[in-house]
Amino acid sequence: EPEVTQTPSHQVTQMGQEVILRCVPISNHLYFYWYRQILGQKVEFLVSFYNNEISEKSEIFDDQFSVERPDGSNFTLKIRSTKLEDSAMYFCASSEGQGGREQYFGPGTRLTVT
Amino acid sequence: RKEVEQDPGPFNVPEGATVAFNCTYSNSASQSFFWYRQDCRKEPKLLMSVYSSGNEDGRFTAQLNRASQYISLLIRDSKLSDSATYLCVVNDLTGRRALTFGSGTRLQVQP
């Protein structure tokens, strides 16, 4: 069964550093997403991406964040200057085209900012 | 008011029991509804979509009541492996794809 993959599984970084989280969505999916979950809290939407551009973003997704699809398979989330409060689990998800709204999540990257 | 509200639990039930979870959502324009399960420190896994007519998948039955803005999940014949957090998830507006998650209801099935 096809699945979303993410690397790394755990990233530790110092405050102020840049991090790039990587995802490979399911191959025939057209919509890609990033969500985050702070420990003990609910899953929160960050951004969605379709046709090589951002289609929606939340208020969390400020100028520190950016997304990119650098090639035909990878989808990345960059945090330019990490803060302590960016520590969270970051999940990538993907969904099919217009009809399918079900989103399938990758295993996540645990980001720890020290 | 919370957008998607769930009883956090925990629900502690014996194996073989039937358990029901409820969820309410605040936005009457919500279009799509889902139940996901999440194991500790893992990703949300899609359990089932929820349709207006209600739907069943094996031991799991989901119901939607648009008038009351209420979604339910029934699990019959609970297994130890059903122990997880069950997330009620809503897609709010036509054309938007962002999912809004509830905080989840924790289920612990005991032998």
Side-chain angles (χ1 to χ4, degrees), chain A residues 54-66:
Chain A
I54 291 173
S55 50
E56 298 166 54
K57 59 182 182 178
S58 72
E59 59 275 8
I60 303 169
F61 193 87
D62 61 21
D63 293 343
Q64 300 282 22
F65 292 90
S66 62

Side-chain angles (χ1 to χ4, degrees), chain A residues 31 33 35 37 39 41-45 48 56-57 89 91 95-108 110, chain B residues 2-4 31-32 34 36 38 41-46 49 51 87 91 93-104:
Chain A
Y31 289 82
Y33 313 86
Y35 291 81
Q37 186 174 31
L39 188 64
Q41 298 186 23
K42 62 183 180 180
V43 178
E44 299 174 290
F45 169 76
S48 65
E56 298 166 54
K57 59 182 182 178
M89 192 74 141
F91 294 110
S95 64
E96 291 178 353
Q98 296 294 337
R101 289 189 170 258
E102 289 84 358
Q103 295 182 21
Y104 298 90
F105 285 73
R110 179 165 298 284
Chain B
K2 288 183 187 175
E3 293 177 336
V4 180
Q31 295 291 321
S32 307
F34 310 94
Y36 281 74
Q38 186 175 33
R41 294 179 177 251
K42 301 282 191 181
E43 75 273 24
K45 285 191 192 295
L46 179 65
S49 303
Y51 305 120
L87 307 175
N91 174 222
L93 294 171
T94 303
R96 287 191 60 213
R97 288 185 169 251
L99 297 179
T100 300
F101 283 75
S103 298

Side-chain angles (χ1 to χ4, degrees), chain B residues 12-104:
Chain B
N12 295 302
V13 303
E15 266 187 293
T18 295
V19 61
F21 306 135
N22 302 320
C23 162
T24 56
Y25 59 95
S26 60
N27 189 341
S28 59
S30 297
Q31 295 291 321
S32 307
F33 309 89
F34 310 94
W35 283 102
Y36 281 74
R37 69 169 278 167
Q38 186 175 33
D39 294 287
C40 190
R41 294 179 177 251
K42 301 282 191 181
E43 75 273 24
K45 285 191 192 295
L46 179 65
L47 185 64
M48 58 200 304
S49 303
V50 186
Y51 305 120
S52 295
S53 54
N55 47 306
E56 187 173 311
D57 182 2
R59 298 181 294 109
F60 300 85
T61 301
Q63 298 278 353
L64 168 64
N65 184 323
R66 284 189 186 268
S68 302
Q69 295 179 204
Y70 167 97
I71 307 159
S72 65
L73 176 69
L74 183 80
I75 305 176
R76 287 181 299 278
D77 189 23
S78 300
K79 313 286 185 198
L80 294 176
S81 57
D82 294 334
S83 297
T85 297
Y86 289 83
L87 307 175
C88 178
V89 182
V90 172
N91 174 222
D92 274 348
L93 294 171
T94 303
R96 287 191 60 213
R97 288 185 169 251
L99 297 179
T100 300
F101 283 75
S103 298

Side-chain angles (χ1 to χ4, degrees), chain A residues 4-20:
Chain A
V4 177
T5 60
Q6 290 184 243
T7 54
S9 56
H10 191 191
Q11 173 95 45
V12 182
T13 190
Q14 287 191 324
M15 201 165 54
Q17 296 296 304
E18 175 183 286
V19 294
I20 297 176

